Amino acid sequence: MNHMMAKKSSQFWALLLFSIGVFMAQLDNGIISSALTTINRSYDVTDNWGAWGITIYTLGLAISLPIVGKLSDRYGRKKLFIIETVLFGIGSLLVAFSPSFGFYLAARFIQALGGGGIFIIGNSHILSTVEPSKQAKYLGLLGAMNGVAAVLGPNVGSFLLDLTGNWHILFLINVPIAIFLFILASMKLKESADPSPGRLDLIGIIILSFAILSIMYGLTNIDIDFWASFKQFEVSGFIGAGIVLFIVLMIYERALERKKDGDPILPVHLIKQPRFLMVLLIGALSGGILAGMIFIPAFTENVLGITAEKSGYWMTPLALAAGVGAGLGGILVTKRGPVFTVIMSGLIAAIGFALFPLWIEVKWQFVVSSMIAGVGIGVILGAPLNILATEGLKSDKGSALASLSLFRQIGMTIAPTIYAGFIARAYNNMDNLFKNDFQDVLQGNIAQASLSKDALGELAQIGQQMASVSGSIDSNQINEIVGSIQDPALKEVILNSVSEITKRAAENGYGGLYWSAAILGVLIIVASLVLAPLREKVSTPRAE
C-alpha cells in the first residue's frame, strides 16, 4: 500500500515538474515573437539581423535535441532535467541583461541548449517509468502544455510588453520558475536511466552537431522562391555539406556499434528500420502542419481585416483547441491505438485547414475552422508519435524521441518558406487582378454609392484617363489616380475597390498556403497507412 502511494506521489511530481518545465520553455519561444521589433530597436539592428534571435534558438534546439536525448538515457533523466533547467534559467538571465546584440545571440543559444531537451526528457521519463496503460494520458497532458504554451506565448508577451514597456521582463520571469523547478526536481523527482556500456561518443557528438548546424543554417537561408534558393551556395552548399557529414556520421556510428564497448550517439539500429524512418517522416510532416499556425495572425489581418495589434489574440481559439486535442490524442491512443490516432489527427487537421480557403468569410467561421485545425494539431502533438517512436524499446527511448523531435523541427523550418512563397506570388500577381477584376469591382461599388454630379464628372475624367493608357491598367497607375482624386466620396469608393482587389490577392495567397497544410494532413494519413503493416512486421521481435 505504501509502495503504491509512493509510486503515485512520484508520478504526480514528475508530471507536475515536467509540465511546468515544458510550459516555461515553449512559452518563451512564443513570447519573443511579440517583442522582436522592440528588441531590434533597442540594439539598433535591422529586421534581417534581428531574426537571428529566433534562428539561433532554432539552431540550438536542433543541435541539443539528439545529444540531450542520448545523455538522458545514459546518465539519468533527473540529472539532465536539472541541468537543462539550470541552463535555461542562466540563458534567460543573460538574455535579459545582454549588453550587446552579439551577447544577446550567444545567450539565446544557451537558452536553446537548456530549453530544447525538457520536452524530450519529460516524454522519455514517462515512457520509462509509467505503466503502459497510463502513458498515453500523461504524454497527452505534456503535449497539451506544449501546444497551449506555443500559442499563448505571443499573447503573454504582448500583455507584459504593454504593461511594463520593458522587453527584459519577458526573460526575467523564467529565472524564478527555473529556480523553483531546480529545488523541487532535486527533492521530488525520481531518477530513471537506460545505462549503456562504453565511453560517451564525443566524436559522434561533434560530427552530429556540425551536420545539424550546417543543414539548419542552409534551411534558414531559403528564400521565398523555394527552388531558386537552391542555386545559392548559402543554401545548397550548407545543406550539401550537412548531408555529407551525416553520411560520414552514419559510417562512423555503424563501425562504433560493432565494437564491444561502443555506444553511438545515434540509435543506429532504429534508423535501419523502415518503420522508424516512416515515423520520422510523419514527424517532419507534422512539423509542416504546425508551421501553419505561424501565419494565423497575418491571415486574420489581411483577409478578415483584424488590426495588426490584435491579430495575435486570434490564435487563442487554436491554442485552446490544441490543448484539448492533445488530451484527446492520449485517450484515443489508449482506446484505438497510435496509428488510428495519427490518421485521425491528419484527417481533422486537413479538414480544418481546407475550410480556410473553402468556407471562411466572417470571423465566427474562422474561429470554428481554426479550432478544428487546432484539435488535429494537438492530437499529433501529444502521445501517438512518441509511442510509435519508442514502442518495443527497452533502451534508447530518449534518443528515439530526440530523433523524432529533430525531424519535426526540420519540417517546421522548411514549411514556412514554402507557405510564404504562396503569399508572395499572390501579391506579385496583383497587376493581373487589377487588369481582369478591377473594372467590375469598381462598377459594383459605384452602383451602391450616392455620388454627386462633381464626383461623377471627375469619375468620367478618370475613365478617359484610364482609356488613354496603352494596355491594361496596373496597381501603380491606380495608386497615382487615387492620389489625384479631389472628391472624398469618390476617393472612398475607389479606395474600397482597391482594398477589395488587395483582399482577393490575400485570399489567393493564404488559400494556397492552407491548401498546402491540408495536403500535409492527407500525406500524414497516407504515411500512417504505410506504417501500419511495417509496424506489425517488427513489433513482435522488438518486444521479445
Side-chain angles (χ1 to χ4, degrees), residues 201-379:
D201 180 17
L202 289 174
I203 293 174
I205 287 174
I206 292 168
I207 299 173
L208 177 64
S209 297
F210 278 105
I212 293 171
L213 182 66
S214 185
I215 287 177
M216 295 302 288
Y217 180 76
L219 292 176
T220 56
N221 285 328
I222 293 175
D223 209 342
I224 288 170
D225 192 338
F226 185 80
W227 297 113
S229 297
F230 284 85
K231 296 176 183 177
Q232 302 170 20
F233 176 78
E234 290 82 0
V235 176
S236 57
F238 279 94
I239 292 175
I243 291 170
V244 170
L245 283 171
F246 261 116
I247 293 169
V248 171
L249 178 65
M250 288 303 299
I251 295 169
Y252 173 79
E253 296 286 278
R254 283 180 179 177
L256 186 63
E257 189 181 42
R258 287 193 290 268
K259 290 185 179 180
K260 188 176 180 181
D261 61 345
D263 184 23
I265 189 73
L266 285 182
V268 179
H269 64 281
L270 288 177
I271 294 171
K272 292 177 184 175
Q273 296 180 18
R275 176 196 68 84
F276 188 70
L277 291 175
M278 191 56 65
V279 173
L280 295 182
L281 173 62
I282 296 172
L285 293 171
S286 72
I289 283 189
L290 280 167
M293 298 192 317
I294 298 169
F295 296 87
I296 292 286
F299 175 86
T300 61
E301 185 181 341
N302 294 304
V303 176
L304 296 179
I306 307 294
T307 59
E309 298 80 27
K310 295 181 179 178
S311 60
Y313 296 123
W314 285 80
M315 289 183 77
T316 305
L318 189 146
L320 297 175
V324 172
L328 177 64
I331 296 169
L332 278 175
V333 168
T334 303
K335 291 189 174 180
R336 299 297 302 271
V339 171
F340 175 84
T341 305
V342 172
I343 290 171
M344 289 305 299
S345 76
L347 178 63
I348 295 167
I351 291 170
F353 282 129
L355 287 174
F356 276 61
L358 284 176
W359 186 50
I360 294 177
E361 291 182 0
V362 292
K363 293 170 187 174
W364 73 265
Q365 292 172 333
F366 163 79
V367 171
V368 172
S369 303
S370 65
M371 288 183 77
I372 293 171
V375 169
I377 288 170
V379 168

Side-chain angles (χ1 to χ4, degrees), residues 55-83:
T55 302
I56 201 77
Y57 194 88
T58 303
L59 292 172
L61 284 180
I63 291 169
S64 68
L65 285 171
I67 297 170
V68 169
K70 182 64 177 180
L71 293 179
S72 69
D73 283 343
R74 183 185 178 107
Y75 295 112
R77 287 154 194 131
K78 174 179 176 177
K79 291 187 187 75
L80 262 292
F81 178 73
I82 290 171
I83 291 169

